[in-house]
Amino acid sequence: MEGHELPAAEKALITHEILNQEYKRLELNPRRSHMQELISTMLSHRTNHADEQKAYYTMLDRFGDWEGVLNAPEDELAEAVSTTRYPLQKAPQIQQTLRIIKEERGEMNIDFLEDLPIEEAMAWLTRLPGVGPKTATLLLLFNFKKPVLPVDTHVFRVSQRVGMIGAKVTANKAHDILLEMLPKDATELFNFHKHLFWHGQRVCTWSYPRCEKCVLNGICNYYNQVRVKGVDRAA
């Protein structure tokens, strides 16, 4: 059997092992507070990290704290986060999310998620405006060390090209499919996410990936079925 013909679950484990060696293993330590992670991740949708960071700090510099953000005029909040994509959508979503947190928890604090089972934490987060599976899983993994797997555009693209998920699988469904193939350990899942994220940025790019230099090309569907045969070069 050729490497690219291996079962999807086997490819997932091999990918994890190869990229651990390629990018080195990371420790899982929260990079920012729970509330910052939630709101920053909401801002990050379709936006690069530098513009997301600029929007976040502009917002807090202008309005002071979460109460100030909640009570800010919506158009002024949208202007403050205008370095992100879709600021006119994100501004009201952020305010609605803050309002729900304050009404239900009595303060701008989501520490209670630490004690919730994964299913309950996911259900609570994904009913917040602008919070989907990617944002919810990223927060629960990065900050609360729960064994879930965020699937962003890079993780999704690499997984699909290698053949861990099928061509018709949606990004939302990919969260569950990939998670089933991997160890249910937060640090392992964190490394899988970060390594595929980096690999998608640096090698398996959206536009003409650098397949010849890719450490995964031995097991990759795209490389063996498309690149080797020159399909992607056809006019």
Side-chain angles (χ1 to χ4, degrees):
M1 179 183 293
E2 298 289 338
H4 67 281
E5 297 174 332
L6 291 170
E10 192 169 344
K11 284 188 176 186
L13 294 175
I14 293 172
T15 295
H16 183 41
E17 180 180 346
I18 291 173
L19 294 188
N20 270 341
Q21 296 173 10
E22 181 72 6
Y23 296 112
K24 309 306 178 187
R25 284 179 57 80
L26 304 165
E27 294 297 322
L28 174 52
N29 296 305
R31 57 184 177 175
R32 44 200 183 189
S33 72
H34 302 335
M35 284 296 295
Q36 181 179 355
E37 191 69 62
L38 172 61
I39 302 302
S40 288
T41 306
M42 292 174 68
L43 288 170
S44 73
H45 180 60
R46 302 287 185 181
T47 300
N48 65 46
H49 182 67
D51 287 341
E52 167 220 313
Q53 288 281 86
K54 183 175 181 180
Y56 178 84
Y57 288 111
T58 298
M59 176 180 67
L60 285 186
D61 285 346
R62 189 167 300 180
F63 303 115
D65 56 17
W66 297 124
E67 287 287 345
V69 173
L70 172 61
N71 295 312
E74 187 178 302
D75 59 337
E76 292 185 22
L77 179 56
E79 197 281 325
V81 300
S82 61
T83 57
T84 70
R85 297 286 298 275
Y86 315 119
L88 295 178
Q89 295 177 21
K90 290 176 181 177
Q93 288 174 343
I94 288 170
Q95 289 185 317
Q96 291 164 26
T97 289
L98 293 175
R99 186 171 294 109
I100 290 170
I101 292 171
K102 183 177 180 181
E103 289 175 353
E104 295 193 8
R105 307 307 306 173
E107 58 181 340
M108 301 297 190
N109 189 304
I110 54 173
D111 292 358
F112 75 100
L113 293 170
E114 177 83 42
D115 300 321
L116 287 187
I118 291 171
E119 293 77 12
E120 289 183 33
M122 284 291 296
W124 190 88
L125 284 167
T126 53
R127 69 181 178 82
L128 298 174
V131 177
K134 186 193 81 170
T135 298
T137 51
L138 192 146
L139 174 68
L140 292 178
L141 176 63
F142 281 34
N143 280 58
F144 297 100
K145 299 186 178 182
K146 293 184 182 290
V148 293
L149 179 66
V151 178
D152 63 10
T153 56
H154 298 296
V155 175
F156 183 72
R157 180 173 63 253
V158 176
S159 298
Q160 205 163 55
R161 283 179 175 166
V162 170
M164 291 178 269
I165 54 176
K168 295 183 179 180
V169 171
T170 64
N172 283 351
K173 188 63 178 174
H175 287 80
D176 297 326
I177 294 173
L178 290 170
L179 183 62
E180 282 300 309
M181 301 177 184
L182 296 163
K184 305 305 181 287
D185 177 87
T187 300
E188 298 299 327
L189 294 167
F190 174 71
N191 276 275
F192 184 86
H193 167 82
K194 291 295 291 185
H195 291 162
L196 264 71
F197 176 83
W198 289 338
H199 201 66
Q201 283 186 321
R202 303 171 188 179
V203 180
C204 193
T205 53
W206 180 81
S207 177
Y208 204 73
R210 300 166 58 201
C211 295
E212 288 72 19
K213 297 183 177 181
C214 179
V215 294
L216 301 176
N217 61 26
I219 62 169
C220 179
N221 283 1
Y222 180 87
Y223 178 72
N224 289 279
Q225 297 174 359
V226 177
R227 178 60 60 83
V228 169
K229 296 178 181 180
V231 176
D232 57 344
R233 296 185 179 89

